[in-house]
Amino acid sequence: GDSVTQMEGPVTLSEEAFLTINCTYTATGYPSLFWYVQYPGEGLQLLLKATKADDKGSNKGFEATYRKETTSFHLEKGSVQVSDSAVYFCALSDGTGFQKLVFGTGTRLLVSP
Amino acid sequence: DSGVTQTPKHLITATGQRVTLRCSPRSGDLSVYWYQQSLDQGLQFLIQYYNGEERAKGNILERFSAQQFPDLHSELNLSSLELGDSALYFCASSVAKGSGTGELFFGEGSRLTVL
């Protein structure tokens, strides 16, 4: 079945460092890809998305490009802030139209001042 | 605030017991999803309802059941609880059954501890 693989965490960075969190997927059909973020004590919220190959999703300085050839959707940010500390989940939709999302295991990001 | 309300926020119970988790979706959202988040399994999809009907089923145990009521709120029933059922249970909602946007709005979760 469909699956998402994320890099293990935690990722520990200093403020203003460059961030990459790797995500690869396995899917049949043409899934849409997403990054969700979970701040401490909160539910998940959508960070960005891409619905077809070569699309770039972006939000709050974060970017990810849908790469069909490498089945990847890596999350990047040029300069992280302490407030970016959270757990980041890569996810795909199964393409059936029912919006059931398959999530990766999550990557915890810790940013220190 | 996502607009999705889950109760209770925390629940401690004993093995063998039964609990009910409740979810009120965002106003206007017809789809409700239940996910289980545990340390060893990550975020697992359990079940989806759309306008009162079951639409998709994931890794939901037979001891678990759910339903969506006419007012669109949903309940997840967990019975014969085991230690391994301890987890954070999330409810999410979305506006339609197939818009394809993939934006689910998540509640803050119900943390279940089975002792």
Side-chain angles (χ1 to χ4, degrees):
Chain A
D2 296 351
S3 66
V4 175
T5 302
Q6 287 181 238
M7 62 189 290
E8 297 255 344
V11 173
T12 304
L13 294 173
S14 297
E15 207 165 24
E16 298 184 2
F18 184 86
L19 168 72
T20 299
I21 300 178
N22 292 336
C23 170
T24 57
Y25 67 90
T26 302
T28 54
Y30 304 95
S32 296
L33 302 174
F34 309 89
W35 278 100
Y36 276 76
V37 58
Q38 184 180 23
Y39 297 104
E42 298 183 13
L44 282 73
Q45 54 187 275
L46 180 65
L47 179 61
L48 55 83
K49 68 182 182 185
T51 56
K52 61 183 188 297
D54 299 326
D55 269 2
K56 178 186 281 189
S58 61
N59 186 24
K60 299 180 181 179
F62 291 90
E63 293 183 339
T65 300
Y66 189 152
R67 302 281 187 207
K68 193 165 185 285
E69 63 275 16
T70 54
T71 61
S72 65
F73 193 56
H74 304 321
L75 182 67
E76 296 182 337
K77 187 175 185 183
S79 175
V80 293
Q81 305 300 312
V82 172
S83 57
D84 294 327
S85 297
V87 181
Y88 292 82
F89 292 89
C90 186
L92 63 81
S93 71
D94 63 2
T96 65
F98 296 128
Q99 297 173 234
K100 175 170 72 74
L101 293 181
V102 175
F103 285 90
T105 52
T107 302
R108 182 175 298 279
L109 171 64
L110 300 170
V111 181
S112 56
Chain B
D1 182 1
S2 68
V4 178
T5 304
Q6 289 187 248
T7 57
K9 288 195 182 333
H10 301 277
L11 191 55
I12 301 174
T13 189
T15 55
Q17 296 298 304
R18 172 189 168 95
V19 299
T20 297
L21 309 180
R22 181 187 169 100
C23 170
S24 294
R26 283 191 326 156
S27 177
D29 285 359
L30 298 178
S31 275
V32 170
Y33 307 75
W34 287 97
Y35 282 84
Q36 178 193 57
Q37 185 180 35
S38 57
L39 285 176
D40 58 343
Q41 296 271 350
L43 202 63
Q44 299 287 319
F45 169 72
L46 296 178
I47 197 163
Q48 178 203 359
Y49 281 84
Y50 174 76
N51 203 21
E53 293 187 4
E54 181 184 306
R55 297 298 292 185
K57 213 166 190 176
N59 302 319
I60 188 166
L61 300 171
E62 286 196 11
R63 299 184 285 107
F64 295 0
S65 64
Q67 55 184 326
Q68 185 179 28
F69 295 87
D71 66 353
L72 301 177
H73 91 273
S74 177
E75 293 182 355
L76 179 66
N77 300 295
L78 316 175
S79 61
S80 302
L81 285 168
E82 301 175 0
L83 296 177
D85 298 328
S86 296
L88 192 53
Y89 291 85
F90 282 109
C91 171
S93 71
S94 68
V95 63
K97 70 176 177 179
S99 68
T101 66
E103 180 157 16
L104 302 188
F105 294 87
F106 282 80
E108 294 182 2
S110 292
R111 182 171 295 282
L112 173 66
T113 302
V114 182
L115 300 176

